[in-house]
Amino acid sequence: MPRNALLRFRRLVVVTAVLGCAVMAGAAQTMPDGRPTPSGQPVPRWLSLKSSEVRARFGPGLDYRVLWEYRTAGLPVQVVAETREWRKICDAEGSVAWVHRSVVSSRRHVMNTSGQELPVRARRTDASAVRARLSPHAIVSIGDCEEGWCEVRARRLRGWVRQTEVFGAQSRALCNAARPAGRGRTA
């Protein structure tokens, strides 16, 4: 085999191996039942609602009945399962429903689900100065979470809140993906 042909063959083998690894890495994301996710994204994962009018359905399709309508743009939801076009989500009340992929955004938000104001700190420590307070049911943008603290942003304000005190930053699944759609944690 001529030297140039051998070099081209080696390059082809390397490129094929790299592409194969990329495909395998994308297919490594799985749903709780072990099947690969259609989007290639991890499940569970956090998204937010794009619109203030999002219909929650009993199943993944327009032929399934509407259970309720979400009326809060930016509301954080956790994807617990998915099809190619639909996302099965869990909300702050523990309700499970299906929404179309076009009504969710990868832009992350968190919500204060407590009945009290939460301090937004200047640094990742309880001893740090309080820069603002997050009102009950307030929704703000989230950045990175480090060492149990999450960076939040609202207009020009940036600060830190405890990861455990807001809804939308947990790393574990909050609802069982096998549970049928409906209201509440026991539905």
Side-chain angles (χ1 to χ4, degrees):
M1 184 178 255
R3 182 166 168 73
N4 285 342
L6 184 59
L7 288 174
R8 279 192 300 246
F9 178 74
R10 284 183 182 167
R11 273 190 234 138
L12 179 64
V13 168
V14 169
V15 168
T16 303
V18 169
L19 288 175
C21 288
V23 168
M24 294 299 285
Q29 301 300 340
T30 60
M31 289 194 279
D33 65 4
R35 291 180 296 136
T37 61
S39 67
Q41 298 296 314
V43 170
R45 71 176 177 280
W46 290 99
L47 300 175
S48 59
L49 301 182
K50 285 183 182 178
S51 168
S52 59
E53 293 181 8
V54 174
R55 289 186 181 94
R57 295 187 178 272
F58 186 74
L62 294 174
D63 53 335
Y64 287 94
R65 68 183 161 91
V66 174
L67 297 169
W68 59 83
E69 191 170 286
Y70 290 105
R71 301 248 176 190
T72 306
L75 183 73
V77 294
Q78 188 179 53
V79 176
V80 294
E82 65 180 24
T83 68
R84 201 168 134 251
E85 296 294 321
W86 294 84
R87 305 296 179 251
K88 190 175 191 180
I89 61 169
C90 175
D91 65 25
E93 295 176 358
S95 298
V96 174
W98 289 89
V99 297
H100 193 268
R101 70 182 177 103
S102 66
V103 299
V104 290
S105 168
S106 60
R107 196 172 282 173
R108 297 262 321 268
H109 294 88
V110 292
M111 181 170 76
N112 176 3
T113 55
S114 76
Q116 303 173 3
E117 291 182 336
L118 295 178
V120 178
R121 306 253 178 208
R123 302 212 187 325
R124 297 184 312 258
T125 174
D126 286 320
S128 179
V130 175
R131 300 186 82 188
R133 296 197 179 275
L134 192 59
S135 299
H137 307 293
I139 296 172
V140 292
S141 296
I142 181 176
D144 291 330
C145 294
E146 303 171 12
E147 300 170 7
W149 292 83
C150 294
E151 183 184 31
V152 295
R153 299 180 299 272
R155 296 188 182 112
R156 294 183 181 189
L157 173 76
R158 288 182 185 266
W160 296 86
V161 295
R162 285 202 161 278
Q163 187 171 3
T164 57
E165 294 180 337
V166 290
F167 176 79
Q170 294 77 5
S171 57
R172 62 181 173 76
L174 300 180
C175 294
N176 184 345
R179 198 176 91 207
R183 286 254 186 229
R185 297 193 187 280
T186 59

